[in-house]
Amino acid sequence: MSSSQSNQNQTIANHPQAGQGRPLPKKEGDLFKNLVKHYEGKQYKKAMKQADLILKKFPQHGETLAMKGLTLYYFSTARHEEAHSLVKSGLRNDMRSHVCWHVYGLLHRADRNYGEAIKCYKQALRIDKDNLQILRDLGLLQIQMRDLRGFVITRNSILSLKPTLQPNWLAFMLAKQLVGETEGALQVIDIYLDTLKNGGDSSSIELLERNYAPSELQLYKNGLLVSLGRWEDALAHLKDMEHCIVDRGTYWWNTSTCLFRLERYEDCLSTLNQLWERGMTEDYRLHAAYMCAVLQNKKKKEENDYDAC
């Protein structure tokens, strides 16, 4: 046996479980980090070289085999079958690795086999339930496949792990609305705004001031109230948030809609006049709303006159 082969066997003996839930030695661990970095940067040739350096010492390392297979899939369209074989081999060597299951899911997603990809992501999460990247990938496929209930659960998990990030709150609100839990979406908005008032950082506190982001959030909340038919609450909310809402056209339009639904037709006409004055004369909705308000107001007056007689 040559000295180089003897040294390789000794290295493997010192790390007999490498690739089965145990970490690689520092040198190979750094190579694996570079492998992932090159893959994410689409530098596939460099990533393949890093994988080969690791596999020289640890030829059965599951995570490296899986990553090499995933890299090969994108590196050469003619070698997809070999890429699948490498990923499956890596998974067989390390069934307890969330990385291998995640990579297998990514490979299925690349093949547009979304159902199998979701199964792989879920298996990876059984091993590492708090992995944000896997949760995000799972959520994307769930919304793509219209698994809305699963999407709610996934976004709730992400929000629990990273409650300081605004996009996580917004995604959870949307998930609630998509499954028909509009009241739940309103509660999420209220809880989020309370967290900003009670202890948000400087960037979060800006969301309570008058700028585009809080304006859109308040209009979204108002839209939820309208969809529930809570016209009084929607109108009161608009008045309370008038200082915050930047989009004045939408503000006046929503106000006129609430007033019309509440049968306050004269106030509705006055509000629509605000939109005329802003130059919104070409919007057919405004013309239709104005005519409806005029007719309904006339009908209401006639009914009142008849009752008075």
Side-chain angles (χ1 to χ4, degrees), residues 80-91:
H80 282 185
E81 187 175 344
E82 183 183 351
H84 276 274
S85 178
L86 282 169
V87 173
K88 289 177 182 178
S89 176
L91 185 59

Side-chain angles (χ1 to χ4, degrees), residues 247-254 256-257 272-292:
D247 186 350
R248 306 308 293 171
T250 301
Y251 170 80
W252 289 116
W253 170 251
N254 288 1
S256 68
T257 302
L272 288 171
N273 283 329
Q274 296 280 352
L275 292 169
W276 304 136
E277 292 173 4
R278 291 180 62 84
M280 299 175 66
T281 57
E282 302 300 324
D283 192 333
Y284 75 93
R285 297 177 307 159
L286 305 187
H287 294 277
Y290 195 87
M291 287 187 288
C292 287

Side-chain angles (χ1 to χ4, degrees), residues 12-227:
I12 295 174
N14 291 337
H15 300 275
Q17 299 297 318
Q20 299 180 29
R22 299 285 181 87
L24 288 166
K26 185 179 184 308
K27 180 182 177 181
E28 284 71 25
D30 291 339
L31 289 174
F32 188 81
K33 290 178 183 177
N34 289 334
L35 161 60
V36 174
K37 181 180 177 181
H38 290 318
Y39 165 77
E40 291 175 347
K42 299 184 178 181
Q43 297 176 309
Y44 301 128
K45 192 170 184 179
K46 291 182 179 179
M48 296 282 288
K49 289 180 179 179
Q50 300 295 308
D52 289 337
L53 288 173
I54 299 171
L55 292 173
K56 281 183 180 179
K57 286 191 176 180
F58 299 98
Q60 303 301 318
H61 186 241
E63 293 179 358
T64 303
L65 286 168
M67 281 301 303
K68 181 179 179 180
L70 184 62
T71 304
L72 183 62
Y73 183 93
Y74 291 102
F75 180 67
S76 174
T77 56
R79 301 173 68 181
H80 282 185
E81 187 175 344
E82 183 183 351
H84 276 274
S85 178
L86 282 169
V87 173
K88 289 177 182 178
S89 176
L91 185 59
R92 282 194 298 268
N93 289 337
D94 198 351
M95 296 287 288
R96 294 180 296 173
S97 168
H98 70 276
V99 174
C100 291
W101 283 106
H102 188 199
V103 168
Y104 198 28
L106 292 173
L107 198 65
H108 279 305
R109 187 181 73 178
D111 286 334
R112 299 184 181 180
N113 191 357
Y114 302 126
E116 290 300 316
I118 288 174
K119 290 179 183 178
C120 291
Y121 291 156
K122 288 182 176 180
Q123 182 60 38
L125 288 170
R126 290 190 184 100
I127 300 168
D128 186 5
K129 65 179 181 179
D130 294 337
N131 190 297
L132 278 170
Q133 186 57 55
I134 301 175
L135 284 167
R136 291 191 189 100
D137 289 343
L138 174 61
L140 286 172
L141 280 190
Q142 285 172 328
I143 195 65
Q144 182 172 336
M145 299 299 291
R146 302 301 187 267
D147 178 13
L148 301 181
R149 290 290 174 185
F151 183 62
V152 171
I153 295 170
T154 301
R155 293 312 312 189
N156 189 27
S157 299
I158 293 174
L159 178 60
S160 300
L161 292 171
K162 289 288 185 180
T164 57
L165 296 180
Q166 183 202 15
N168 293 342
W169 287 93
L170 299 180
F172 189 45
M173 294 172 204
L174 179 61
K176 284 283 190 180
Q177 185 186 13
L178 288 174
V179 295
E181 297 180 14
T182 309
E183 290 284 0
L186 280 170
Q187 291 175 7
V188 174
I189 292 177
D190 291 335
I191 293 170
Y192 173 58
L193 292 174
D194 286 341
T195 61
L196 297 183
K197 293 174 185 176
N198 296 331
D201 56 27
S202 58
S203 60
S204 297
I205 291 173
E206 289 178 0
L207 292 173
L208 299 173
E209 300 174 354
R210 191 174 190 273
N211 56 54
Y212 184 78
S215 172
E216 291 301 301
L217 181 59
Q218 295 298 343
L219 287 173
Y220 174 67
K221 178 180 179 179
N222 194 257
L224 294 178
L225 290 169
V226 166
S227 67

